[in-house]
């Protein structure tokens, strides 16, 4: 969490030298900011609303503080460490955004499976973090689609919507350019002023892979059933994904 603070300062000669070298080599940055998001706000990530229904208990066990499990380093987490990481993100994001502004390729990845970073949800969080770094919403979408396809060498088949390309699409109800949170599989909450009640909006309605349609609602139901079944097999209560209750009730 202190690495970027130890590196060259933004705009310095060394900073620019590294930047120009990477640009000259056609280097692609796939930062996976979200893999370290818990480091700057642990409570936010281990209380994420999707854990209880969409995080498998075996994965949750892997997330917990451990001297052995990769990425599970919360055995003595402090406010000071989180402050270090907040500054680390600020400098890291500045470099990535400047790299993009200078013509460098930046793509989207989540490195899920570690550090309270759950598959699928982490990918959209990464898009939000690129937005925080200074990318416009359209630049975020471009990084997640066209730039990723180019990096993988598959831009002739995927990455943009064009005649002749594969129909690989995520269809949501709403405009993600206005609110990237609509891309979360479960959507997000919004107040309905006509009823005075919060309603869930957005969410993935359909996933289209090679022209085959998969209903988002049905896919989510399958995952919830898998998680519930795994909890039942281990004798765990449905609300297992909670912090240690015995520590709070003493």
């Amino acid at each position: 969490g202190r690495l970027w603070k130890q590196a060259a300062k933004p705009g310095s000669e060394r900073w620019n030298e590294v930047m120009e070298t990477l640009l000259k080599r056609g280097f692609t940055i796939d930062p996976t900011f979200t893999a370290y998001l818990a480091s700057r706000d642990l409570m936010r990530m281990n209380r994420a609303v999707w854990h209880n229904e969409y995080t498998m208990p075996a994965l949750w066990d892997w997330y917990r503080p451990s001297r052995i499990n990769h990425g599970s380093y919360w055995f003595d987490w402090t406010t000071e460490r989180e402050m270090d990481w907040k500054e680390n993100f600020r400098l890291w994001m500045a470099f990535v955004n400047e790299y993009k502004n200078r013509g460098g390729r930046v793509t989207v990845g989540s490195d899920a499976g570690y550090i309270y970073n759950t598959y699928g949800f982490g990918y959209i969080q990464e898009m939000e973090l690129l937005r925080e770094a200074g990318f416009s919403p359209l630049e975020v979408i471009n990084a997640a689609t066209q730039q990723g396809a180019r990096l993988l060498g598959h831009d002739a088949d995927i990455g943009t919507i064009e005649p002749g390309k594969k129909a690989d699409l995520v269809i949501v109800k709403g405009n993600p350019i206005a609110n990237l949170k609509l891309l979360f599989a479960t959507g997000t909450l919004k107040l309905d002023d006509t009823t005075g009640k919060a309603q869930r909006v957005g969410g993935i309605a359909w996933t289209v892979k090679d022209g085959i349609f998969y209903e988002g609602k049905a896919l989510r139901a399958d995952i919830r059933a898998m998680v519930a079944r795994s909890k039942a097999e281990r004798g765990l209560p449905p609300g297992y994904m909670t912090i240690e209750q015995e520590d709070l009730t003493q």
Side-chain angles (χ1 to χ4, degrees), residues 68-183:
I68 301 172
N69 297 344
H70 175 67
S72 301
Y73 50 78
W74 318 110
F75 32 80
D76 183 21
W77 207 242
T78 66
T79 301
E80 293 309 303
R81 293 184 185 275
E82 290 194 355
M83 296 306 105
D84 285 338
W85 271 100
K86 288 177 186 293
E87 178 66 4
N88 202 53
F89 266 89
R90 186 186 71 81
L91 296 168
W92 184 11
M93 287 178 166
F95 187 91
V96 171
N97 190 51
E98 184 176 335
Y99 189 73
K100 176 263 299 178
N101 289 340
R102 291 198 192 185
R105 177 180 296 148
V106 178
T107 54
V108 178
S110 66
D111 197 12
Y114 301 100
I115 318 182
Y116 296 99
N117 183 13
T118 297
Y119 299 92
F121 296 97
Y123 192 81
I124 308 306
Q125 285 185 301
E126 180 71 7
M127 296 174 72
E128 289 189 312
L129 288 164
L130 284 175
R131 182 73 183 90
E132 180 183 337
F135 286 52
S136 71
L138 279 175
E139 286 175 331
V140 172
I141 298 294
N142 179 252
T145 55
Q146 189 174 35
Q147 296 304 324
R150 286 175 175 170
L151 172 63
L152 296 173
H154 295 309
D155 51 309
D157 298 316
I158 59 175
T160 56
I161 301 174
E162 300 178 54
K165 288 193 174 184
K166 291 183 178 180
D168 284 3
L169 305 168
V170 171
I171 301 173
V172 298
K173 298 177 180 179
N175 179 13
I177 297 299
N179 184 7
L180 289 170
K181 293 186 186 301
L182 297 175
L183 291 171

Side-chain angles (χ1 to χ4, degrees), residues 4 7-9 11-27 29 95-96 98-99 102 104:
W4 278 94
K9 294 182 179 180
S12 66
E13 182 178 350
R14 182 61 172 166
W15 172 282
N16 287 316
E17 179 186 349
V18 172
M19 184 89 61
E20 290 299 329
T21 299
L22 296 179
L23 288 168
K24 188 179 299 183
R25 294 178 179 178
F27 191 82
I29 296 179
F95 187 91
V96 171
E98 184 176 335
Y99 189 73
R102 291 198 192 185

